[in-house]
Amino acid sequence: MADDCLFCRIVAGELPSTKVHEDDLVLAIRDIAPGSPTHILLMPKRHIASALDLTEADAPLVGRIFAVAADLARSEGIADAGYRLVSNVGGWGGQSVDHLHIHLMGGRAFEWPPG
Ligand code: DGP
């Protein structure tokens, strides 16, 4: 757990969240400020600052995150229409919380490229 990390505190249960999935590696919660009808954040329980810090050794974790995202897309009813997975990295990437997370967004159509 990293000091002063918001998502580490959510993982630890020190701050409330609406959990939609939890296992030994991954926590998935509803975004507090949803940008689409379905907006879920998938994160490693272990503190990793961003995708920039991933290594090949994290392959099981990354595989789990994407598998859970696919399961949630199906259970949220957004799989057939299509959805978006995004991980913002750093300032220009739009990252505001420095604990790796993947946005699972669906329930509406999205533009490409993003703004
Ligand atoms: P990003 O900007 O890519 O780092 O995404 C951070 C997301 O985290 C953003 O969509 C809002 C969300 N968020 C920020 N604080 C909280 C919180 O306390 N709880 C929850 N559930 N989501 C949060």
Side-chain angles (χ1 to χ4, degrees):
M1 179 166 171
D3 291 344
D4 297 329
C5 172
L6 177 67
F7 286 174
C8 280
R9 295 190 66 196
I10 288 176
V11 168
E14 294 177 7
L15 294 174
S17 66
T18 304
K19 295 180 187 177
V20 293
H21 172 89
E22 183 170 16
D23 61 43
D24 57 326
L25 295 177
V26 175
L27 177 67
I29 63 174
R30 297 207 184 273
D31 196 290
I32 203 167
S36 52
T38 294
H39 190 168
I40 290 169
L41 304 172
L42 298 104
M43 64 191 74
K45 287 185 160 179
R46 174 168 59 92
H47 183 80
I48 299 172
S50 80
L52 188 60
D53 299 294
L54 289 168
T55 71
E56 230 174 304
D58 297 309
L61 169 66
V62 174
R64 178 77 62 81
I65 289 174
F66 275 81
V68 170
D71 285 345
L72 288 172
R74 289 187 200 96
S75 62
E76 293 283 319
I78 60 173
D80 290 344
Y83 58 94
R84 185 162 288 180
L85 295 173
V86 177
S87 191
N88 298 321
V89 179
W92 278 24
Q95 185 176 9
S96 59
V97 178
D98 290 336
H99 180 125
L100 174 65
H101 52 282
I102 309 286
H103 297 257
L104 167 60
M105 303 180 74
R108 66 171 175 85
F110 296 96
E111 305 278 329
W112 192 263

